Coordinates of all heavy atoms in Angstrom, one line a residue:
Q19 N 102.1 -100.8 78.9 CA 102.8 -100.4 80.1 C 104.2 -101.0 80.2 O 105.2 -100.3 80.4 CB 102.0 -100.7 81.4 CG 102.3 -99.9 82.5 CD 102.1 -98.5 82.6 OE1 101.9 -97.8 81.6 NE2 102.0 -97.8 83.8
M20 N 104.2 -102.3 80.1 CA 105.5 -103.1 80.2 C 106.5 -102.7 79.0 O 107.7 -102.5 79.2 CB 105.4 -104.6 80.2 CG 104.8 -105.1 81.6 SD 105.7 -104.6 83.0 CE 107.3 -105.4 82.7
T21 N 105.9 -102.5 77.9 CA 106.8 -102.2 76.8 C 107.4 -100.9 77.0 O 108.6 -100.6 76.7 CB 105.9 -102.1 75.4 OG1 105.3 -103.5 75.3 CG2 106.7 -101.9 74.3
A22 N 106.6 -99.9 77.5 CA 107.2 -98.5 77.7 C 108.3 -98.6 78.9 O 109.2 -97.9 78.8 CB 106.0 -97.6 78.2
L23 N 108.0 -99.5 79.9 CA 109.0 -99.6 81.0 C 110.3 -100.2 80.4 O 111.3 -99.7 80.8 CB 108.4 -100.5 82.0 CG 107.6 -99.9 83.1 CD1 107.0 -100.9 84.1 CD2 108.3 -98.8 83.9
V24 N 110.2 -101.1 79.6 CA 111.4 -101.7 79.0 C 112.2 -100.7 78.2 O 113.4 -100.5 78.3 CB 111.1 -103.0 78.1 CG1 112.3 -103.4 77.3 CG2 110.5 -104.1 79.0
R25 N 111.5 -99.9 77.4 CA 112.1 -98.8 76.7 C 112.8 -97.8 77.7 O 114.0 -97.4 77.4 CB 111.2 -98.1 75.8 CG 111.3 -98.4 74.4 CD 110.3 -97.6 73.5 NE 109.1 -98.4 73.2 CZ 107.9 -98.0 73.4 NH1 107.6 -97.0 73.9 NH2 106.9 -98.9 73.1
L26 N 112.1 -97.4 78.6 CA 112.7 -96.5 79.7 C 113.9 -97.1 80.3 O 114.9 -96.4 80.5 CB 111.6 -96.0 80.7 CG 110.5 -95.1 80.0 CD1 109.4 -95.1 81.1 CD2 111.0 -93.8 79.8
Y27 N 113.8 -98.3 80.7 CA 114.9 -99.0 81.4 C 116.2 -99.1 80.5 O 117.3 -98.7 80.8 CB 114.5 -100.5 81.8 CG 115.6 -101.2 82.4 CD1 115.8 -101.1 83.8 CD2 116.3 -102.2 81.7 CE1 116.8 -101.9 84.5 CE2 117.3 -102.9 82.3 CZ 117.5 -102.8 83.7 OH 118.5 -103.5 84.3
N28 N 115.8 -99.5 79.2 CA 117.1 -99.5 78.3 C 117.6 -98.2 77.9 O 118.8 -98.1 77.6 CB 116.6 -100.3 77.0 CG 116.3 -101.8 77.3 OD1 116.9 -102.4 78.2 ND2 115.5 -102.4 76.4
S29 N 116.8 -97.2 77.9 CA 117.3 -95.9 77.5 C 118.1 -95.2 78.6 O 118.7 -94.2 78.4 CB 116.1 -95.0 77.0 OG 115.4 -94.6 78.2
G30 N 117.9 -95.6 79.9 CA 118.5 -95.1 81.0 C 117.8 -93.8 81.6 O 118.3 -93.1 82.4
D31 N 116.5 -93.6 81.2 CA 115.7 -92.5 81.7 C 115.2 -93.0 83.1 O 114.0 -93.5 83.2 CB 114.5 -92.3 80.8 CG 113.6 -91.2 81.3 OD1 113.8 -90.7 82.3 OD2 112.6 -90.9 80.5
V32 N 116.0 -92.7 84.1 CA 115.7 -93.3 85.5 C 114.4 -92.6 86.0 O 113.5 -93.4 86.7 CB 116.9 -93.0 86.4 CG1 116.6 -93.4 87.8 CG2 118.2 -93.6 85.9
E33 N 114.2 -91.3 85.8 CA 113.0 -90.7 86.4 C 111.8 -91.2 85.6 O 110.8 -91.5 86.3 CB 113.1 -89.1 86.3 CG 114.0 -88.5 87.3 CD 113.5 -88.7 88.7 OE1 112.2 -88.7 88.9 OE2 114.3 -89.1 89.6
G34 N 111.8 -91.3 84.3 CA 110.7 -91.8 83.6 C 110.4 -93.3 84.0 O 109.2 -93.7 84.1
F35 N 111.5 -94.1 84.2 CA 111.4 -95.4 84.6 C 110.7 -95.5 86.0 O 109.7 -96.3 86.1 CB 112.7 -96.1 84.6 CG 112.8 -97.6 85.0 CD1 111.9 -98.5 84.2 CD2 113.5 -98.0 85.9 CE1 112.0 -99.8 84.5 CE2 113.6 -99.4 86.3 CZ 112.8 -100.3 85.6
W36 N 111.0 -94.7 86.9 CA 110.5 -94.6 88.3 C 108.9 -94.3 88.2 O 108.2 -94.9 88.8 CB 111.2 -93.7 89.1 CG 110.9 -93.8 90.5 CD1 111.3 -94.6 91.5 CD2 109.8 -93.0 91.2 NE1 110.7 -94.4 92.6 CE2 109.7 -93.5 92.5 CE3 108.9 -92.0 90.8 CZ2 108.8 -92.9 93.4 CZ3 108.0 -91.5 91.6 CH2 108.0 -91.9 93.0
R37 N 108.6 -93.3 87.4 CA 107.2 -92.9 87.2 C 106.4 -94.0 86.6 O 105.3 -94.3 87.0 CB 107.1 -91.7 86.4 CG 107.5 -90.4 87.1 CD 107.1 -89.1 86.3 NE 107.7 -89.0 85.0 CZ 109.0 -88.6 84.7 NH1 109.8 -88.1 85.7 NH2 109.4 -88.6 83.4
G38 N 106.9 -94.7 85.6 CA 106.3 -95.9 85.0 C 106.1 -97.0 85.9 O 105.0 -97.7 86.0
L39 N 107.1 -97.2 86.9 CA 106.8 -98.3 87.9 C 105.8 -97.9 88.8 O 104.9 -98.8 89.2 CB 108.2 -98.4 88.7 CG 109.4 -99.1 87.9 CD1 110.6 -98.8 88.7 CD2 109.1 -100.5 87.7
A40 N 105.6 -96.7 89.1 CA 104.6 -96.2 90.0 C 103.2 -96.4 89.4 O 102.3 -96.9 90.0 CB 104.7 -94.7 90.4
R41 N 103.1 -96.1 88.1 CA 101.8 -96.3 87.4 C 101.6 -97.8 87.3 O 100.3 -98.2 87.5 CB 101.9 -95.8 85.9 CG 101.7 -94.3 85.8 CD 101.5 -93.8 84.4 NE 102.7 -94.2 83.5 CZ 103.8 -93.4 83.4 NH1 103.9 -92.2 84.1 NH2 104.8 -93.8 82.6
L42 N 102.5 -98.6 86.9 CA 102.3 -100.1 86.9 C 101.9 -100.6 88.2 O 100.9 -101.4 88.3 CB 103.5 -100.8 86.5 CG 103.6 -102.3 86.5 CD1 102.4 -102.8 85.5 CD2 104.9 -102.9 86.2
G43 N 102.5 -100.1 89.4 CA 102.1 -100.5 90.6 C 100.7 -100.3 91.0 O 99.9 -101.2 91.5
R44 N 100.2 -99.1 90.6 CA 98.9 -98.7 90.9 C 97.9 -99.5 90.1 O 96.9 -100.0 90.5 CB 98.6 -97.2 90.6 CG 99.2 -96.3 91.6 CD 98.8 -94.8 91.4 NE 99.1 -94.3 90.0 CZ 100.2 -93.7 89.7 NH1 101.2 -93.6 90.6 NH2 100.4 -93.3 88.5
L45 N 98.2 -99.7 88.7 CA 97.4 -100.5 87.9 C 97.2 -102.0 88.4 O 96.1 -102.5 88.5 CB 97.9 -100.5 86.5 CG 97.2 -101.4 85.4 CD1 95.8 -101.0 85.2 CD2 98.1 -101.5 84.1
A46 N 98.4 -102.5 88.7 CA 98.4 -103.9 89.2 C 97.6 -104.0 90.5 O 96.9 -105.0 90.7 CB 99.9 -104.4 89.3
D47 N 97.8 -103.1 91.4 CA 97.1 -103.1 92.7 C 95.6 -103.0 92.5 O 94.8 -103.7 93.1 CB 97.6 -102.0 93.5 CG 97.3 -102.2 95.0 OD1 97.4 -103.4 95.5 OD2 97.0 -101.2 95.7
H48 N 95.1 -102.1 91.6 CA 93.7 -101.9 91.4 C 93.1 -103.1 90.6 O 91.8 -103.2 90.8 CB 93.5 -100.7 90.5 CG 93.7 -99.4 91.3 ND1 93.1 -99.1 92.4 CD2 94.5 -98.4 91.0 CE1 93.6 -97.9 92.9 NE2 94.4 -97.5 92.0
T49 N 93.8 -104.0 90.0 CA 93.3 -105.1 89.3 C 93.5 -106.3 90.0 O 93.2 -107.4 89.5 CB 93.9 -105.2 87.9 OG1 95.3 -105.2 88.0 CG2 93.4 -104.0 87.0
G50 N 94.0 -106.3 91.3 CA 94.2 -107.5 92.1 C 95.5 -108.3 91.9 O 95.7 -109.3 92.4
F51 N 96.4 -107.7 91.2 CA 97.7 -108.3 91.0 C 98.7 -107.8 92.1 O 99.7 -107.1 91.7 CB 98.2 -108.2 89.6 CG 97.5 -109.0 88.6 CD1 96.4 -108.6 88.0 CD2 98.0 -110.2 88.2 CE1 95.7 -109.3 87.1 CE2 97.3 -111.0 87.2 CZ 96.1 -110.6 86.6
T52 N 98.5 -108.1 93.3 CA 99.3 -107.5 94.4 C 100.8 -107.9 94.4 O 101.7 -107.1 94.6 CB 98.7 -107.9 95.7 OG1 98.7 -109.3 95.9 CG2 97.3 -107.2 95.9
G53 N 101.1 -109.1 93.9 CA 102.5 -109.5 93.8 C 103.2 -108.7 92.7 O 104.3 -108.3 92.9
L54 N 102.5 -108.3 91.6 CA 103.1 -107.6 90.5 C 103.3 -106.2 91.0 O 104.4 -105.5 90.8 CB 102.2 -107.5 89.4 CG 102.8 -106.9 88.1 CD1 104.0 -107.5 87.5 CD2 101.6 -106.9 87.0
S55 N 102.3 -105.6 91.8 CA 102.4 -104.3 92.5 C 103.6 -104.2 93.4 O 104.4 -103.3 93.4 CB 101.1 -104.0 93.2 OG 101.3 -102.7 93.8
Q56 N 103.8 -105.3 94.2 CA 104.9 -105.3 95.1 C 106.2 -105.4 94.4 O 107.2 -104.8 94.9 CB 104.7 -106.5 96.1 CG 103.6 -106.3 97.1 CD 103.3 -107.5 97.9 OE1 103.8 -108.6 97.6 NE2 102.4 -107.4 98.9
A57 N 106.3 -106.2 93.3 CA 107.5 -106.2 92.5 C 107.9 -104.9 92.0 O 109.1 -104.6 92.0 CB 107.4 -107.3 91.5
A58 N 106.9 -104.2 91.4 CA 107.1 -102.9 90.9 C 107.7 -101.9 91.9 O 108.7 -101.1 91.7 CB 105.9 -102.3 90.2
G59 N 107.1 -102.0 93.1 CA 107.6 -101.2 94.2 C 109.0 -101.6 94.6 O 109.9 -100.7 95.1
G60 N 109.3 -102.8 94.5 CA 110.7 -103.3 94.9 C 111.7 -102.8 93.9 O 112.8 -102.3 94.3
V61 N 111.4 -102.7 92.6 CA 112.3 -102.0 91.6 C 112.4 -100.6 91.9 O 113.5 -100.0 91.9 CB 111.8 -102.4 90.2 CG1 112.7 -101.6 89.2 CG2 111.7 -103.8 89.8
A62 N 111.3 -99.9 92.2 CA 111.4 -98.5 92.5 C 112.1 -98.2 93.7 O 113.0 -97.3 93.7 CB 109.9 -97.9 92.7
D63 N 112.1 -99.0 94.8 CA 112.8 -98.9 96.0 C 114.3 -99.0 95.6 O 115.2 -98.3 96.3 CB 112.5 -100.0 97.0 CG 111.2 -99.7 97.7 OD1 110.6 -98.6 97.4 OD2 110.6 -100.7 98.3
C64 N 114.7 -99.9 94.7 CA 116.1 -100.1 94.3 C 116.7 -98.7 93.7 O 117.9 -98.5 93.9 CB 116.3 -101.2 93.4 SG 116.3 -102.8 94.2
L65 N 115.8 -98.0 93.0 CA 116.2 -96.9 92.3 C 116.5 -95.7 93.4 O 117.2 -94.7 93.1 CB 115.2 -96.3 91.3 CG 115.0 -97.2 90.1 CD1 113.9 -96.7 89.3 CD2 116.3 -97.3 89.4
G66 N 115.9 -95.8 94.6 CA 116.2 -94.9 95.7 C 115.4 -93.6 95.5 O 114.7 -93.3 94.6
A67 N 115.8 -92.7 96.5 CA 115.2 -91.3 96.5 C 115.9 -90.4 95.5 O 117.0 -90.8 95.1 CB 115.4 -90.7 97.9
P68 N 115.3 -89.3 95.1 CA 115.9 -88.4 94.2 C 117.2 -87.9 94.7 O 117.3 -87.6 95.9 CB 114.9 -87.3 94.0 CG 113.6 -87.9 94.4 CD 113.9 -88.9 95.4
P69 N 118.2 -87.8 94.0 CA 118.3 -88.1 92.5 C 118.4 -89.6 92.4 O 119.4 -90.2 93.0 CB 119.6 -87.4 92.1 CG 120.5 -87.3 93.3 CD 119.5 -87.1 94.4
R70 N 117.5 -90.2 91.7 CA 117.5 -91.6 91.5 C 118.6 -92.1 90.6 O 119.2 -91.3 90.0 CB 116.1 -92.0 90.9 CG 115.0 -91.8 91.9 CD 113.7 -92.1 91.3 NE 112.6 -92.0 92.2 CZ 112.1 -90.8 92.6 NH1 112.6 -89.7 92.2 NH2 111.1 -90.7 93.4
G71 N 118.9 -93.3 90.8 CA 119.9 -94.0 89.9 C 121.2 -94.3 90.6 O 122.0 -95.0 90.1
H72 N 121.4 -93.8 91.8 CA 122.5 -94.3 92.7 C 122.1 -95.5 93.5 O 121.7 -95.3 94.6 CB 122.9 -93.1 93.6 CG 123.3 -91.8 92.8 ND1 124.4 -91.8 92.0 CD2 122.7 -90.7 92.6 CE1 124.5 -90.6 91.5 NE2 123.4 -89.9 91.7
C73 N 122.1 -96.7 92.9 CA 121.6 -97.8 93.5 C 122.6 -99.0 93.3 O 123.5 -98.9 92.5 CB 120.2 -98.2 92.9 SG 120.3 -98.4 91.2
D74 N 122.2 -100.0 94.0 CA 122.9 -101.4 93.9 C 122.4 -102.0 92.6 O 121.3 -102.4 92.4 CB 122.6 -102.2 95.1 CG 123.1 -103.6 95.0 OD1 123.7 -104.0 93.9 OD2 123.1 -104.2 96.1
T75 N 123.3 -102.0 91.6 CA 122.9 -102.4 90.3 C 122.6 -104.0 90.2 O 121.6 -104.4 89.5 CB 124.0 -102.1 89.2 OG1 125.3 -102.7 89.7 CG2 124.2 -100.7 89.0
T76 N 123.2 -104.7 91.1 CA 122.9 -106.1 91.2 C 121.3 -106.3 91.8 O 120.6 -107.1 91.3 CB 123.8 -106.9 92.1 OG1 125.1 -106.7 91.6 CG2 123.5 -108.3 92.1
A77 N 121.1 -105.6 92.8 CA 119.6 -105.6 93.3 C 118.7 -105.1 92.3 O 117.6 -105.6 92.2 CB 119.6 -104.7 94.6
L78 N 119.0 -104.0 91.5 CA 118.1 -103.5 90.5 C 117.9 -104.5 89.5 O 116.7 -104.8 89.1 CB 118.8 -102.3 89.9 CG 117.9 -101.6 88.8 CD1 116.5 -101.3 89.3 CD2 118.6 -100.4 88.2
A79 N 118.9 -105.2 89.1 CA 118.8 -106.3 87.9 C 117.9 -107.4 88.5 O 117.1 -107.9 87.7 CB 120.2 -106.7 87.5
A80 N 118.2 -107.8 89.7 CA 117.4 -108.9 90.3 C 115.9 -108.6 90.4 O 115.0 -109.4 90.1 CB 118.0 -109.3 91.6
T81 N 115.6 -107.4 90.9 CA 114.2 -107.0 91.1 C 113.5 -106.7 89.8 O 112.4 -107.1 89.6 CB 114.1 -105.8 92.1 OG1 114.8 -104.7 91.5 CG2 114.5 -106.1 93.4
W82 N 114.3 -106.2 88.8 CA 113.7 -105.9 87.5 C 113.4 -107.3 86.8 O 112.3 -107.5 86.2 CB 114.7 -105.1 86.6 CG 114.3 -105.0 85.2 CD1 115.1 -105.3 84.1 CD2 113.2 -104.3 84.7 NE1 114.4 -104.9 83.0 CE2 113.3 -104.3 83.3 CE3 112.0 -103.8 85.2 CZ2 112.3 -103.7 82.4 CZ3 111.1 -103.2 84.4 CH2 111.2 -103.2 83.1
A83 N 114.2 -108.3 86.9 CA 114.0 -109.6 86.4 C 112.8 -110.3 86.9 O 112.0 -110.9 86.3 CB 115.3 -110.5 86.5
R84 N 112.6 -110.0 88.3 CA 111.5 -110.7 89.0 C 110.2 -109.9 88.4 O 109.2 -110.6 88.2 CB 111.6 -110.5 90.5 CG 110.4 -111.0 91.3 CD 110.7 -110.9 92.8 NE 109.5 -111.3 93.5 CZ 108.6 -110.6 94.1 NH1 108.7 -109.2 93.9 NH2 107.5 -111.0 94.7
L85 N 110.2 -108.7 88.3 CA 109.1 -108.0 87.7 C 108.7 -108.4 86.4 O 107.6 -108.7 86.1 CB 109.4 -106.4 87.8 CG 108.3 -105.6 87.2 CD1 106.9 -105.7 87.9 CD2 108.7 -104.1 87.2
M86 N 109.7 -108.6 85.5 CA 109.5 -109.1 84.2 C 108.8 -110.5 84.1 O 107.9 -110.7 83.4 CB 110.7 -109.1 83.4 CG 111.4 -107.7 83.2 SD 110.3 -106.7 82.1 CE 110.6 -107.4 80.6
R87 N 109.3 -111.4 85.1 CA 108.7 -112.7 85.2 C 107.2 -112.7 85.6 O 106.3 -113.3 85.1 CB 109.5 -113.6 86.2 CG 110.9 -114.1 85.6 CD 111.4 -115.3 86.5 NE 111.6 -114.8 87.9 CZ 112.6 -114.2 88.4 NH1 113.6 -113.8 87.6 NH2 112.7 -113.8 89.6
L88 N 106.9 -111.9 86.7 CA 105.6 -111.8 87.2 C 104.7 -111.0 86.2 O 103.5 -111.5 86.0 CB 105.6 -110.9 88.5 CG 106.3 -111.7 89.6 CD1 106.4 -110.7 90.9 CD2 105.3 -112.9 90.0
A89 N 105.2 -110.2 85.4 CA 104.4 -109.5 84.4 C 104.0 -110.5 83.3 O 102.9 -110.5 82.8 CB 105.1 -108.3 83.9
A90 N 105.0 -111.3 82.9 CA 104.8 -112.3 81.9 C 103.7 -113.3 82.3 O 102.8 -113.7 81.6 CB 106.0 -113.0 81.5
R91 N 103.8 -113.7 83.6 CA 102.8 -114.6 84.2 C 101.4 -113.9 84.2 O 100.4 -114.6 84.0 CB 103.3 -115.1 85.6 CG 102.5 -116.2 86.1 CD 102.9 -116.6 87.4 NE 104.4 -117.0 87.4 CZ 105.2 -116.9 88.5 NH1 104.8 -116.5 89.6 NH2 106.4 -117.2 88.3
A92 N 101.3 -112.6 84.6 CA 100.1 -112.0 84.8 C 99.4 -111.9 83.4 O 98.3 -112.1 83.3 CB 100.3 -110.6 85.4
M93 N 100.2 -111.6 82.4 CA 99.7 -111.3 81.1 C 99.2 -112.7 80.5 O 98.3 -112.8 79.6 CB 100.6 -110.7 80.1 CG 100.8 -109.2 80.4 SD 101.8 -108.3 79.3 CE 103.5 -108.9 79.6
S94 N 99.8 -113.8 80.8 CA 99.4 -115.1 80.3 C 98.4 -115.8 81.2 O 97.8 -116.8 80.7 CB 100.7 -116.1 80.1 OG 101.1 -116.3 81.5
S95 N 98.0 -115.3 82.3 CA 97.0 -115.9 83.2 C 95.6 -115.6 82.6 O 95.5 -114.8 81.6 CB 97.2 -115.4 84.6 OG 96.8 -114.0 84.7
A96 N 94.6 -116.0 83.2 CA 93.2 -116.0 82.7 C 92.9 -114.5 82.4 O 92.5 -113.7 83.3 CB 92.3 -116.5 83.9
G97 N 93.0 -114.1 81.2 CA 92.7 -112.8 80.7 C 93.9 -111.9 80.9 O 94.0 -110.9 80.1
G98 N 94.8 -112.1 81.7 CA 95.9 -111.2 81.9 C 95.5 -109.8 82.2 O 94.4 -109.5 82.5
L99 N 96.5 -108.9 82.1 CA 96.4 -107.5 82.3 C 96.4 -106.9 80.9 O 97.6 -106.6 80.6 CB 97.3 -106.9 83.3 CG 97.0 -107.2 84.7 CD1 98.2 -106.5 85.6 CD2 95.7 -106.5 85.2
R100 N 95.5 -106.7 80.3 CA 95.6 -106.1 78.9 C 96.3 -104.8 78.9 O 97.0 -104.4 78.0 CB 94.1 -105.9 78.3 CG 93.4 -107.2 78.3 CD 93.0 -107.7 76.9 NE 92.1 -108.7 77.0 CZ 92.5 -110.0 77.0 NH1 93.7 -110.3 77.1 NH2 91.6 -111.0 77.0
G101 N 96.2 -104.0 80.0 CA 96.8 -102.7 80.1 C 98.3 -102.8 80.2 O 99.0 -101.8 80.1
L102 N 98.8 -103.9 80.6 CA 100.3 -104.1 80.7 C 101.0 -104.1 79.4 O 102.2 -103.9 79.4 CB 100.6 -105.3 81.6 CG 100.2 -105.2 83.0 CD1 100.6 -106.5 83.7 CD2 101.0 -104.2 83.7
S103 N 100.3 -104.5 78.4 CA 101.0 -104.8 77.1 C 101.3 -103.4 76.4 O 102.1 -103.5 75.4 CB 100.1 -105.7 76.2 OG 98.9 -105.0 75.9
G104 N 100.8 -102.3 76.8 CA 101.2 -101.2 76.0 C 100.0 -100.3 75.9 O 99.5 -99.4 76.0

């Protein structure tokens, strides 16, 4: 999941990135990683309503960095989220 998100982010596929964030948020929420779910929601909020992509790029970069840190921590914690790795 995170690998796909990174690819979408780097490619500039804003709609795909937003959908991936929604999937990650649901997965994290269902597995008890509420902080990760909230971080994914924060990045999605930065993208805004359709048409997405008209956002504060500084806020997007900051929330994306936070999501990446939390995802790394989740994957390295007790068992991690195997579904996040791809």
Side-chain angles (χ1 to χ4, degrees):
Q19 193 75 340
M20 286 305 297
T21 304
L23 275 177
V24 169
R25 253 186 261 126
L26 291 166
Y27 179 82
N28 289 336
S29 74
D31 180 356
V32 177
E33 282 299 319
F35 184 54
W36 189 88
R37 285 190 304 273
L39 290 166
R41 278 191 303 273
L42 174 62
R44 286 190 304 273
L45 173 66
D47 198 41
H48 290 305
T49 54
F51 287 86
T52 55
L54 188 60
S55 176
Q56 291 171 348
V61 177
D63 288 347
C64 282
L65 293 175
R70 292 177 177 74
H72 301 286
C73 59
D74 178 345
T75 56
T76 302
L78 178 61
T81 56
W82 176 238
R84 179 173 179 261
L85 175 61
M86 295 295 287
R87 283 191 308 272
L88 289 172
R91 189 178 307 152
M93 288 188 288
S94 67
S95 71
L99 284 176
R100 306 239 188 271
L102 291 179
S103 61

